[in-house]
Amino acid sequence: MIPIIAPSLLAADFANLQRDIELINNSDADWFHLDIMDGQFVPNISFGVPVCQAIARHARKPLDVHLMIEHPELYLEIFKKCGANSISVHYEACPHLHSVVQQIKTLGCQAGVAINPHTPVSHLSDIIADLDLVCIMSVNPGFGGQKFIENSFDKVQELRKLITDKQSKALIEIDGGVNNRNAQPLITAGVDILVAGSFVFNSEDPLKTISDLKKVPA
Ligand code: DX5
Ligand code: ZN
C-alpha cells in the first residue's frame, strides 16, 4: 500500500507561502492539506477563504480542506469555489451530518468526516457507506506540532474493520503528530493518507522528508 501524502500548510511559512506551495508542487506529495479554524470549534484561528483562493492559484495538486469550524454547512460552496477537491467536516460540529455529507457530494467534492480523539469510531457506522474519507484526529484539533495520541492506532484498526464490514470505499486519513516513527505502523494498521505538518516543514530537507514518507513500507 503506497500512502497518499498530504502535507499540512498550517506549518508552512505564511510569509513565503508561494515558495512553500511550489515546494509541495515539486515534491512526491499527493495533496495539499488545508486546515481551516474558526476560533469557535477549536481554540485557534488559522486562515480562511482569501488565503485558500490564493493557494489554489498556485497549487498543482488536489486541495484537501479540513474544516474545523462550527456550521460548516454554511461554507461548503465557497470552499468548493476555492478549488477544494475533498472537504472534511467534524462529526462533533454537525448534528445533521448525513445532510452535510450529501451537500458536499452534490457540490462534486469528495466527502470526509473528521473525528476528535474522544469520539468513538463506532459513531460512524451509519454514515460510513456514504463517505469518501474519514480523518482520524491523532491530536486535539487546533494546533500543529502536538504529540501523537497512541490510542489512534486502535481507532485506525477499528475503522478499517468497519469499512470492510460496511463495504465502504472510504479512505482513512490520520492527522496530527505524524512522523517517520509512527508512519509505518500506521500504514500497517490501515491508514491510506498521512497528513504531516511540522514534521515536513520543520525538517532540514522537506523534499526528502516527503519522499521518505512516501516510501515507507507497509
Ligand atoms: C491540527 C490540524 C493538523 C495539523 C497537523 O488541528 O488538523 O492538520 O496541521 O500538524 P502536525 O503534523 O504538526 O501535527
Ligand atoms: Zn488537519
Side-chain angles (χ1 to χ4, degrees):
M1 204 346 262
I2 297 172
I4 290 169
I5 309 297
S8 166
L9 283 181
L10 190 63
D13 178 353
F14 286 2
N16 288 285
L17 200 45
Q18 190 177 353
R19 180 199 68 192
D20 285 353
I21 293 166
E22 287 305 337
L23 186 148
I24 303 302
N25 281 338
N26 296 320
S27 75
D28 289 334
D30 300 277
W31 297 354
F32 287 85
H33 184 83
L34 307 187
D35 288 303
I36 313 299
M37 304 177 184
D38 65 354
Q40 297 292 320
F41 179 68
V42 288
N44 195 11
I45 299 172
S46 56
F47 54 85
V49 170
V51 174
C52 274
Q53 287 168 329
I55 293 167
R57 280 199 293 277
H58 298 283
R60 297 196 300 273
K61 296 180 180 185
L63 304 184
D64 176 37
V65 174
H66 177 191
L67 296 180
M68 284 162 275
I69 64 176
E70 289 181 359
H71 295 293
E73 67 280 2
L74 302 178
Y75 303 94
L76 301 174
E77 200 170 341
I78 186 74
F79 280 106
K80 163 67 182 174
K81 282 191 183 144
C82 285
N85 293 78
S86 49
I87 300 180
S88 293
V89 296
H90 265 264
Y91 173 88
E92 302 82 6
C94 296
H96 304 290
L97 185 61
H98 183 271
S99 168
V100 177
V101 165
Q102 301 312 320
Q103 289 173 55
I104 296 171
K105 292 173 134 182
T106 302
L107 289 168
C109 292
Q110 303 281 299
V113 170
I115 56 171
N116 280 340
H118 73 279
T119 300
V121 165
S122 58
H123 284 17
L124 298 176
S125 88
D126 288 327
I127 192 83
I128 192 74
D130 295 297
L131 300 182
D132 300 300
L133 188 164
V134 175
C135 176
I136 293 186
M137 291 306 303
S138 39
V139 297
N140 283 293
F143 301 91
Q146 301 181 79
K147 191 173 173 300
F148 182 87
I149 296 171
E150 294 292 322
N151 182 52
S152 311
F153 284 111
D154 290 348
K155 292 178 82 171
V156 170
Q157 285 174 328
E158 196 182 336
L159 178 57
R160 177 53 64 202
K161 185 173 181 320
L162 181 67
I163 287 171
T164 304
D165 289 350
K166 298 278 186 176
Q167 298 179 316
S168 165
K169 58 179 175 359
L171 298 176
I172 302 178
E173 178 174 72
I174 190 94
D175 185 5
V178 171
N179 56 40
N180 58 352
R181 291 183 304 283
N182 55 30
Q184 192 275 327
L186 282 167
I187 294 166
T188 303
V191 162
D192 301 292
I193 307 158
L194 297 169
V195 174
S198 44
F199 183 64
V200 166
F201 285 102
N202 295 349
S203 68
E204 283 205 351
D205 185 349
L207 284 177
K208 182 172 184 308
T209 302
I210 292 168
S211 68
D212 287 350
L213 283 175
K214 188 80 189 165
K215 282 185 271 191
V216 166

